[in-house]
Amino acid sequence: MEIFGQNVFNQDVMREKLPKAVFKNLKKTIDEGLPLDPTIADVVASAMKEWAVDRGATHFTHWFQPMTGVTAEKHDSFITPTDNGILMEFSGKELIKGEPDASSFPSGGLRATFEARGYTAWDCTSPAFLREEADVTTLCIPTVFCSYTGEALDKKTPLLRSMEALSSQALRILRLFGNTTARRVISTVGPEQEYFLVDKAFFERRLDLIMAGRTLFGAMPPKGQEMEDHYFGTIKERVGAFMKEVNVELWKLGVTAKTQHNEVAPGQFEIAPIFETTNIATDHNQLVMDTLKRVALRHDMVCLMHEKPFAGVNGSGKHNNWSMSSSDGQNLLEPGHTPHDNIQFLTFLLATIKAVDEYAGLLRASCANAGNDHRLGANEAPPAIISMFLGDQLADIVEQIETGAVKSSTIGADMKIGVRTLPALPKDATDRNRTSPFAFTGNKFEFRMVGSTFSISGPNIVINTIVAEALKQFADRLEGSSDFDADLEKLLQETAKKHKRIIFNGNNYSDEWVEEAAKRGLLNLPNTPEALKELVKKDAVELFVAHNVFTEKEIHSRYDIMLEQYSKTINIEALTMIDMAKRSIIPAATSFVTEVAHSVAAVTAVCSSIDVSAQKDLLGELSSNLSALNKNVKALEKIVEDAANISDVAKQAAAYREEVFSKMLEVRANGDALEKVVSADYWPLPTYAEMLFNL
Ligand code: ADP
Ligand code: MG
């Protein structure tokens, strides 16, 4: 209790440090999402500085989230020269607005470097915090980042806009149900974060882990995850010590680190906080990823956040648990106790079903990157097909709504779907489905496709916006209604009928589902270049523009940035692979081949009748693998060069996927075949067995 939030300039600190009127003004701004009153900025800044300096801070930074997916900062000290020395100063102007220039971040053409101004502006809904690194303490102020012309260059601005969109549409629905007290609806998120740990000594000897965050070579060891003995296993001491320190660091930052456990793959772990407002959950998830990486190093380990560090065992994702709460304290996805509550719940539920069905492509695109392509569709993560799991009881009720004859699933009596006559819904459906990409888990949806490296901003921008749109269409239809109950019943029935194809309660990992989904007309977008196209389709652009989440220019710039990031990622991986093959693997295999060849010659020279067939077999196997590797590496060099020269971003990304990436699979197969026959004494890289089982 003492350390929780100790490094956060939170509401308690504000209450203590700010004049009463200023505090009230600021709190109202934060609670109701109003624009900040500039006249209080100086007072807030000065209190914030004093608090930070008291705790040893010398610098402050606007902490923002450019399109790289990680956070960015540029530190300024508080010192200001005076006639007779210096003062520690921090003005309201410095608090609310920064001009970091920051012209080298991706902008997808929104900014040319000659008009280099980029601005950061304080997001007072997310509290400022102190970051302690060794003996340096820095005051970090969460900010948005935009261009001179006001376009969003970051991941926070559109997220805040999407939260506004959801709030205004959800409020319209609540009003229809007679709610006059709620002033906002907030989307809430609890992201579960998976990651791997490896010993730093091994990491340092793997160029692929250093450059690409994943192994580009590596044969499977005799044991993988098949014994299921790591999942939820006893946490080893070294890892436990690391987790303890991670928790303390996070608690100081006000992050509610709650759950931790060993995950499925050896060397894999998970951490989950308690859910919060999406904006803060997004900032906090960045702090979680950052803290995991920094603390791991103190324990001579490296935290691998990549979606697939080790081919052959499970990769890492991020389960995005999402719901909506009203400011008067209701979880709108919580089935209620009374029929009245239930019809409201079913309205929000069916709006979400409609949203996911209509914009499945956008959800898929929001989880697309080169790393996640290794997971989606492999039998460990949801397939690239979006569907929803409701559980048997809820799916049954939706089916009954569709047929217009609702029976209670619990008491079996005939019921009509009127406001007065709804069944009591199961509060905590006991069945769980771990294979569904979008699963209802009792009072929230769990979006399971998100990759472990992702900022959760993108996926939540999409969820908030598509649900806002569905709610808008509901409200548009119902607001003028003269018979609300009857019209609502009709609307829900139509919605259930039209969108039930998205509901699937079976095994999403099965081949039958892929076939069945195709029959239902559901999208199956297997890779990033394909999935990203969904972002710039006409109806997607119209959706984002209509809800003021992205301008047309912003969405196109994001599409370009993401395609470029995809191509750059594969390019780096391919070049790393070529480097490792040419400078480590081929030389090591060649030395070993030479030794074996010498052995054949030496043994035969001593006695020509001795059987050297073993050495000759080995020589043959080594040489054929070596020449296959060599040939494919040469081919890869040429293919990468060709892809790098394509100027159209979409065509280039497609070439990296179809040409470069598929050649890399062959190169890897050749390298891994060699690993299995080259003497361990000669093999230049730490093996899977070493990296996965040595913590
Ligand atoms: P499991 O692994 O069984 O899915 P966890 O306990 O690991 O469950 O994670 C569930 C996550 O869902 C937690 O972060 C939790 O805080 C979050 N959560 C619970 N209720 C809500 C809600 N109403 N909105 C968003 N997230 C929620
Ligand atoms: Mg979990």
Side-chain angles (χ1 to χ4, degrees):
M1 282 167 77
E2 263 144 44
I3 59 173
F4 190 84
Q6 78 175 30
N7 287 352
V8 186
F9 193 71
N10 56 25
Q11 296 211 1
D12 290 343
V13 181
M14 289 182 202
R15 188 179 292 113
E16 186 193 317
K17 304 266 173 199
L18 294 174
K20 216 172 185 169
V22 173
F23 173 71
K24 264 175 98 176
N25 186 330
L26 185 60
K27 184 163 162 43
K28 197 169 152 74
T29 306
I30 296 169
D31 291 348
E32 295 178 24
L34 302 171
L36 183 77
D37 173 357
T39 62
I40 64 166
D42 274 329
V43 185
V44 179
S46 156
M48 206 185 263
K49 178 211 71 188
E50 238 160 73
W51 170 81
V53 170
D54 274 354
R55 283 165 171 69
T58 52
H59 286 69
F60 71 92
T61 180
H62 279 195
W63 183 77
F64 59 104
Q65 303 176 22
M67 290 299 299
T68 52
V70 290
T71 58
E73 46 198 76
K74 175 184 172 194
H75 300 191
D76 278 300
S77 74
F78 292 117
I79 63 168
T80 313
T82 63
D83 289 346
N84 41 11
I86 58 134
L87 269 178
M88 297 292 263
E89 266 188 354
F90 185 45
S91 69
K93 222 178 98 215
E94 287 171 302
L95 166 64
I96 55 181
K97 193 170 145 202
E99 195 188 319
D101 172 2
S103 53
S104 295
F105 286 117
S107 80
L110 283 181
R111 284 167 94 189
T113 34
F114 59 83
E115 49 182 41
R117 261 186 252 186
Y119 289 99
T120 50
W122 184 30
D123 164 24
C124 63
T125 61
S126 182
F129 57 91
L130 293 175
R131 175 130 93 229
E132 292 170 325
E133 173 97 90
D135 57 354
V136 182
T137 305
T138 308
L139 171 66
C140 298
I141 300 155
T143 58
V144 298
F145 178 46
C146 59
S147 75
Y148 181 60
T149 43
E151 273 122 357
L153 297 170
D154 68 347
K155 302 210 169 204
K156 189 187 257 287
T157 311
L159 179 66
L160 292 170
R161 294 176 185 159
S162 75
M163 291 172 69
E164 276 313 308
L166 181 71
S167 180
S168 38
Q169 301 306 333
L171 274 182
R172 289 175 68 192
I173 299 290
L174 285 181
R175 297 284 181 260
L176 288 170
F177 282 98
N179 181 320
T180 54
T181 49
R183 305 175 71 163
R184 296 189 77 195
V185 168
I186 299 140
S187 65
T188 53
V189 167
E192 303 165 50
Q193 174 76 47
E194 294 176 342
Y195 60 93
F196 278 84
L197 291 173
V198 290
D199 193 296
K200 190 155 161 270
F202 297 132
F203 175 87
E204 283 168 346
R205 288 171 48 214
R206 300 269 332 197
L207 189 67
D208 47 6
L209 290 184
I210 295 171
M211 293 290 140
R214 76 176 179 101
T215 56
L216 297 167
F217 290 101
M220 270 302 280
K223 180 183 171 187
Q225 63 192 41
E226 64 275 48
M227 300 302 283
E228 290 157 354
D229 51 354
H230 187 257
Y231 187 55
F232 283 14
T234 314
I235 296 171
K236 287 194 177 162
E237 251 177 62
R238 183 181 185 187
V239 176
F242 155 82
M243 286 179 170
K244 180 177 168 182
E245 209 169 314
V246 165
N247 287 330
V248 169
E249 293 282 329
L250 290 174
W251 290 333
K252 282 190 197 165
L253 291 167
V255 179
T256 51
K258 170 90 175 157
T259 308
Q260 60 196 25
H261 58 82
N262 287 359
E263 256 301 331
V264 169
Q268 193 188 26
F269 309 91
E270 178 181 302
I271 180 168
I274 296 170
F275 72 96
E276 299 172 281
T277 305
T278 306
N279 175 31
I280 294 177
T282 304
D283 287 359
H284 281 175
N285 182 246
Q286 291 288 352
L287 291 178
V288 167
M289 292 194 283
D290 185 57
T291 304
L292 288 169
K293 287 184 204 157
R294 286 187 305 124
V295 174
L297 290 174
R298 296 185 205 154
H299 293 256
D300 289 321
M301 298 187 286
V302 176
C303 173
L304 301 176
M305 209 62 81
H306 194 279
E307 282 80 10
K308 194 75 176 178
F310 301 99
V313 298
N314 271 16
S316 298
K318 184 136 56 187
H319 291 173
N320 189 87
N321 295 275
W322 177 92
S323 188
M324 296 169 266
S325 285
S326 62
S327 58
D328 60 355
Q330 298 178 62
N331 176 353
L332 303 180
L333 290 178
E334 175 94 52
H337 301 293
T338 67
H340 183 270
D341 288 345
N342 282 341
I343 188 75
Q344 183 185 302
F345 159 72
L346 287 172
T347 305
F348 282 101
L349 182 81
L350 277 156
T352 311
I353 292 172
K354 170 182 160 73
V356 173
D357 187 34
E358 283 178 347
Y359 294 103
L362 279 183
L363 283 169
R364 170 65 184 92
S366 77
C367 299
N369 78 3
N372 223 12
D373 279 1
H374 299 283
R375 292 175 67 239
L376 302 181
N379 281 354
E380 56 166 67
I385 309 161
I386 301 269
S387 68
M388 294 172 96
F389 168 82
L390 293 183
D392 290 340
Q393 286 169 300
L394 211 48
D396 183 45
I397 286 170
V398 170
E399 208 177 298
Q400 291 174 49
I401 290 175
E402 185 213 332
T403 55
V406 176
K407 287 180 186 156
S408 161
S409 58
T410 45
I411 51 172
D414 278 327
M415 300 195 107
K416 251 175 64 70
I417 182 196
V419 171
R420 296 158 299 270
T421 52
L422 263 176
L425 296 179
K427 194 162 154 42
D428 190 10
T430 45
D431 46 352
R432 279 272 188 138
N433 178 315
R434 294 281 172 194
T435 66
S436 174
F438 211 96
F440 188 71
T441 54
N443 58 5
K444 60 186 183 293
F445 277 100
E446 186 171 5
F447 184 33
R448 300 215 182 93
M449 264 187 175
V450 186
S452 48
T453 56
F454 278 68
S455 158
I456 55 169
S457 163
N460 286 298
I461 290 171
V462 169
I463 302 176
N464 290 341
T465 312
I466 64 179
V467 174
E469 172 62 22
L471 293 171
K472 174 185 180 290
Q473 290 184 24
F474 279 14
D476 285 349
R477 244 181 79 175
L478 296 170
E479 271 170 354
S481 157
S482 51
D483 185 348
F484 179 68
D485 286 2
D487 287 344
L488 177 61
E489 185 176 334
K490 208 163 135 228
L491 175 66
L492 296 188
Q493 185 173 17
E494 273 175 36
T495 307
K497 194 169 277 169
K498 190 155 171 216
H499 299 294
K500 65 174 178 192
R501 64 170 188 165
I502 199 76
I503 298 168
F504 178 63
N505 285 333
N507 178 7
N508 284 257
Y509 297 175
S510 70
D511 295 335
E512 294 81 64
W513 169 233
V514 177
E515 264 173 52
E516 164 69 19
K519 271 192 223 140
R520 294 190 190 184
L522 301 181
L523 280 174
N524 185 357
L525 302 168
N527 62 58
T528 298
E530 284 302 312
L532 289 179
K533 287 181 191 157
E534 297 294 314
L535 288 178
V536 287
K537 288 200 168 149
K538 191 165 162 286
D539 53 342
V541 174
E542 281 169 6
L543 167 86
F544 287 126
V545 172
H547 290 277
N548 294 319
V549 172
F550 290 118
T551 64
E552 190 165 347
K553 248 169 104 183
E554 284 171 348
I555 193 74
H556 278 279
S557 79
R558 267 148 224 264
Y559 171 66
D560 284 358
I561 290 169
M562 287 189 245
L563 280 173
E564 268 176 32
Q565 275 166 350
Y566 176 83
S567 296
K568 285 176 185 169
T569 305
I570 308 278
N571 190 60
I572 291 167
E573 289 184 351
L575 296 181
T576 305
M577 196 166 210
I578 292 166
D579 185 294
M580 289 170 78
K582 287 173 73 170
R583 298 185 342 114
S584 300
I585 296 176
I586 294 177
T590 305
S591 304
F592 186 52
V593 164
T594 310
E595 183 176 326
V596 178
H598 281 153
S599 152
V600 176
V603 174
T604 317
V606 174
C607 174
S608 62
S609 63
I610 288 181
D611 180 5
V612 287
S613 61
Q615 290 95 319
K616 283 185 174 169
D617 272 1
L618 181 55
L619 198 55
E621 202 175 344
L622 281 166
S623 301
S624 69
N625 283 329
L626 192 54
S627 74
L629 175 63
N630 185 51
K631 235 181 264 157
N632 275 326
V633 168
K634 293 258 155 63
L636 181 60
E637 281 180 309
K638 170 86 179 63
I639 293 169
V640 181
E641 204 183 308
D642 290 347
N645 285 330
I646 299 173
S647 55
D648 179 278
V649 278
K651 286 194 184 122
Q652 183 179 52
Y656 272 104
R657 171 76 200 180
E658 277 142 40
E659 313 292 331
V660 180
F661 182 73
S662 35
K663 188 48 92 181
M664 285 170 67
L665 293 176
E666 290 177 44
V667 172
R668 178 173 188 139
N670 300 143
D672 293 356
L674 269 176
E675 183 182 335
K676 290 187 167 159
V677 284
V678 169
S679 155
D681 293 339
Y682 280 77
W683 193 251
L685 304 169
T687 62
Y688 268 32
E690 290 170 303
M691 291 186 286
L692 288 170
F693 294 96
N694 265 324
L695 279 179

